[in-house]
Every structure is written in structure tokens, then in C-alpha cells.
Amino acid sequence: LPVVGWGAEPRPWVVTAYEDTTGVAALGRKGRIRAAAWTLRRVADALCFAHERGVVHGGLTPGSIVRTSIMTEPDAWRYPRVTDLGYVDRLRTGGSGGPAISGRYLAPEHLRPKRFGGVDGATDVYGFGVVAYEALLGRAPFESAEGPTRSPPGIDPADPSVLDDRLSAELDTFFAKCLASRKPERFETVQAMRAAFRRAAGEYGE
């Protein structure tokens, strides 16, 4: 998404082009699995494009994905674009030193860098897992009776196939690998992640 302005005073700020958007979680809440799978393939393509050029997002969340109408095709699925690339190390919440993203989407390395390491490409694998989970199921990967929570290290999210029997067991395996607390247990690259997602979601078509 185009950046139209930025600065450092009184604290770091960025302005992007305005988009009238709908979130990817809405796809899951409405049970639109084919549209969600198509959208997620485009997001994975964008992450691969960025990583091939040395750019790590570092804070991917459902709010990082804007979906815009194609003016010449009003009945087409909204096209996704990825925003906020590389901002996580620039924008900090006031006084806390933490990344300026919602707590429910923080990877283990955001919360405990000494234990889980710094933000890197594996963080985007985790972020894609979070985005994909919401896009397919309409809920955050980790939720309690009180609502969404931070991801507890060592605890796996509920299997998607249990929550929605239209989703395959192969997707269960995919999410377990994306959302693993320890980086070595995740996909090694976003390219490997993209290939695995295409296989796991292949039945939902392009």
C-alpha cells in the first residue's frame, strides 16, 4: 500500500493511502472458505515477494490486510494488499517498548525475545498463520471464554477441522507448523509455507 508521508516527531508516524476496506476475518465469520483461500494465496505471494527483496513484515495481523473493490469488476472478490511492512521495529506503543500491534496477535518472540529470538522471517510465518486462521474461521487462533488472548507458548490452537468440518486435517497440520512457539518447528521460509498452504487448501480452488 503506498506510503504518502512519515516522520519521527513527536513520535514515529506513517500515513498510507486511504482504503475503504473489509477485514479478512469477515470472510471466516460468513463461512466464505473459497474466497478466504484465494485471498490468503495472494497474501502469501506478497510475503514471498517481500522476503525475496530482504524485507520482513514483522507484525502481520488481519488488520495488515486491506481488501479493495475492483472498480471495473464490482462483483469480483475484493483484492488484498499487505500494509505496514517493516513497521514493527519503528512504531512502538507509548512507553512500553512493545510492538504497536494488538496483543492477541503477538508471536512468542515479540513477548519473550530472550527465549524465542528476535523478529525475523519466521515471525511472518507465524503472522500468516494468525491471518489465515481468522480468514478461514472468523476467530483468533487463541480464544478463551472471555475472548481472544495472547498466544500461550507451548499451547496449540484448536484444530480448524474440529471447528469447521469443511476444513481438512491437512490444514490442521499446516496451522500447527505456522503457529509453533519455537521457530525451528515452523516452516523454514515463507516460500515453503506458501507451497504447503496451496497443497492444504487446494480443494478450495484458485
Side-chain angles (χ1 to χ4, degrees):
L1 195 67
V3 173
V4 297
W6 66 91
E9 299 296 336
R11 61 178 58 187
W13 56 272
V14 176
V15 176
T16 61
Y18 174 76
E19 292 285 359
D20 184 12
T21 65
T22 59
V24 294
L27 296 172
R29 288 194 294 269
K30 295 176 182 177
R32 299 179 61 196
I33 292 178
R34 289 186 65 245
W38 177 85
T39 298
L40 293 167
R41 290 187 185 98
R42 308 290 84 78
V43 173
D45 289 344
L47 289 176
C48 289
F49 182 88
H51 280 219
E52 287 163 3
R53 286 152 182 80
V55 177
V56 170
H57 191 289
L60 191 70
T61 72
S64 303
I65 314 302
V66 299
R67 297 171 55 244
T68 58
S69 297
I70 302 172
M71 300 303 293
T72 56
E73 300 180 54
D75 296 326
W77 289 333
R78 291 175 180 264
Y79 198 88
R81 290 196 284 181
V82 179
T83 70
D84 305 339
L85 285 153
Y87 291 1
V88 73
D89 287 332
R90 299 279 190 266
L91 303 179
R92 303 287 177 172
T93 53
S96 71
I101 57 179
S102 174
R104 77 181 72 173
Y105 303 125
L106 293 173
E109 56 267 32
H110 288 133
L111 295 168
R112 302 180 188 174
K114 290 184 178 179
R115 177 180 175 185
F116 294 103
V119 172
D120 57 18
T123 309
D124 284 351
V125 171
Y126 187 96
F128 181 83
V130 169
V131 169
Y133 201 97
E134 281 212 7
L136 290 169
L137 292 158
R139 51 166 280 178
F142 301 97
E143 289 196 5
S144 67
E146 291 73 35
T149 64
R150 289 181 175 177
S151 58
I155 303 298
D156 294 328
D159 286 338
S161 66
V162 173
L163 299 175
D164 188 333
D165 60 13
R166 295 175 298 169
L167 300 178
S168 68
E170 193 171 358
L171 278 170
D172 296 346
T173 302
F174 173 81
F175 282 111
K177 197 166 179 66
C178 279
L179 298 171
S181 295
R182 297 180 65 251
K183 292 181 187 178
E185 297 174 5
R186 300 177 199 164
F187 292 102
E188 188 173 353
T189 64
V190 291
Q191 287 80 6
M193 176 202 75
R194 175 176 63 178
F197 180 75
R198 286 180 179 275
R199 290 192 299 270
E203 65 183 281
Y204 308 113
E206 284 287 342

